[in-house]
Amino acid sequence: MTDEPRNASIRMDALQAHHAEAAARWAARLGLPRVGETDFALQLGDQGLQLVELGDKAPGPVRVDFVEGAAAHRRQFGGGSGQMIAKAVGVQSGIRPRILDATAGLGRDAFVLASLGCEMTLIERQPLIAALLEDGLQRAELDLEVAPIVARMRLLTGNAIDLMQNWQGEAPQVIYLDPMFPHRDKSALVKKEMRLFRPFVGDDLDAPALLAAALALASHRVVVKRPRKAPAIEGAKPGYVLEGKSSRYDVYPKKKLEGA
């Protein structure tokens, strides 16, 4: 996501008094004021960290929840390794690739792949979104059923292009990209999230550089999620495409994935 400055104002709130100390730590870490009239608030309460727009007719808060809600439903009924995203990254019998999700966002796709047994590294460059994701992972560690899944998810905060270009250690077999795009899923949930996040993140204007860095690092393949009718990212052409109803996966193969 782009690093360009935004005009949205935001403060840090504790929803209950016993969260005041932890909220102060988040405020210091993210450089957020604790008081004042602002457009948005990052709030810490009994349900975790959440981002909310303030004012009349604003949508409800957004938080990361890997234990209940949509994540739980998809974990239990989502189709397992038959899901298109699983096919795109190369999940098959005896093969669970090491994957870098370089545009992690709220971690939904990474969680799906981790639930299928893939070791995941996540990169999120927008500090507010990274904070929501970090908080969601920490709360998920307390759930007996979900803890083994999030144990396979490692979060890095920073610029994905820089991190990929200066990668240390073994290269990921697969790199997954889902750049922010102006015309995305029109569901109510995504609309709410986009309304909250766009003032802070904008669109991914550096997607071509992101793809180039991914192709240089991945050992086996790069997968790019796109809206179904959107153009491919400028640069190398995908080897093949998996197309669904609202989105598609552009696959850039480099080497065949093989089982252990």
Side-chain angles (χ1 to χ4, degrees):
M1 296 174 181
T2 58
D3 290 322
E4 64 183 277
R6 300 284 160 174
N7 295 321
S9 57
I10 181 169
R11 68 172 187 258
M12 183 77 219
D13 290 342
L15 295 180
Q16 294 88 21
H18 58 277
H19 291 298
E21 188 174 328
R25 289 195 296 270
W26 277 115
R29 179 172 156 184
L30 296 170
L32 300 179
R34 296 299 309 280
V35 295
E37 291 294 320
T38 57
D39 302 315
F40 297 85
L42 189 64
Q43 301 172 332
L44 184 61
D46 291 342
Q47 291 183 290
L49 201 63
Q50 62 187 33
L51 179 65
V52 63
E53 183 178 355
L54 304 174
D56 295 337
K57 298 182 180 179
V62 167
R63 70 178 68 86
V64 173
D65 187 352
F66 294 122
V67 179
E68 298 178 352
H73 186 272
R74 189 167 180 185
R75 184 177 78 250
Q76 295 164 358
F77 309 110
S81 58
Q83 297 173 78
M84 193 176 299
I85 187 174
K87 294 177 180 178
V89 301
V91 169
Q92 51 191 294
S93 179
I95 298 178
R96 293 296 186 271
R98 296 185 318 278
I99 302 173
L100 168 62
D101 182 345
T103 52
L106 296 178
R108 288 196 190 95
D109 287 342
F111 181 75
V112 168
L113 295 171
S115 70
L116 297 176
C118 297
E119 294 292 330
M120 302 295 303
T121 300
L122 293 72
I123 300 176
E124 175 50 51
R125 82 164 85 172
Q126 215 298 326
L128 291 172
I129 298 176
L132 294 174
L133 184 49
E134 179 181 328
D135 175 73
L137 289 168
Q138 290 175 346
R139 284 184 285 108
E141 290 173 355
L142 305 177
D143 182 87
L144 290 177
E145 186 176 350
V146 179
I149 298 174
V150 296
R152 292 190 282 270
M153 299 169 67
R154 177 175 70 115
L155 175 61
L156 304 176
T157 302
N159 184 293
I161 296 172
D162 293 341
L163 289 170
M164 286 191 286
Q165 290 175 340
N166 298 283
W167 193 260
Q168 302 295 315
E170 190 174 15
Q173 292 174 295
V174 177
I175 297 180
Y176 178 78
L177 305 175
D178 182 11
M180 190 76 77
F181 191 79
H183 307 291
R184 289 288 303 273
D185 183 338
K186 302 240 180 347
S187 71
L189 175 63
V190 173
K191 281 183 177 179
K192 181 173 77 170
E193 291 171 358
M194 289 303 99
R195 175 171 170 173
L196 282 171
F197 294 153
R198 282 211 181 277
F200 302 102
V201 303
D203 293 322
D204 276 320
L205 304 180
D206 56 358
L210 191 67
L211 175 59
L215 287 168
L217 176 61
S219 63
H220 287 68
R221 73 173 65 173
V222 174
V223 177
V224 181
K225 184 178 181 181
R226 300 293 278 167
R228 188 170 65 87
K229 296 184 179 181
I233 293 178
E234 182 181 338
K237 304 303 181 195
Y240 61 95
V241 174
L242 298 178
E243 193 168 297
K245 292 181 179 179
S246 62
S247 61
R248 70 170 199 270
Y249 297 92
D250 293 347
V251 182
Y252 301 76
K254 295 179 67 177
K255 183 178 173 183
K256 184 178 179 180
L257 287 160
E258 297 179 348

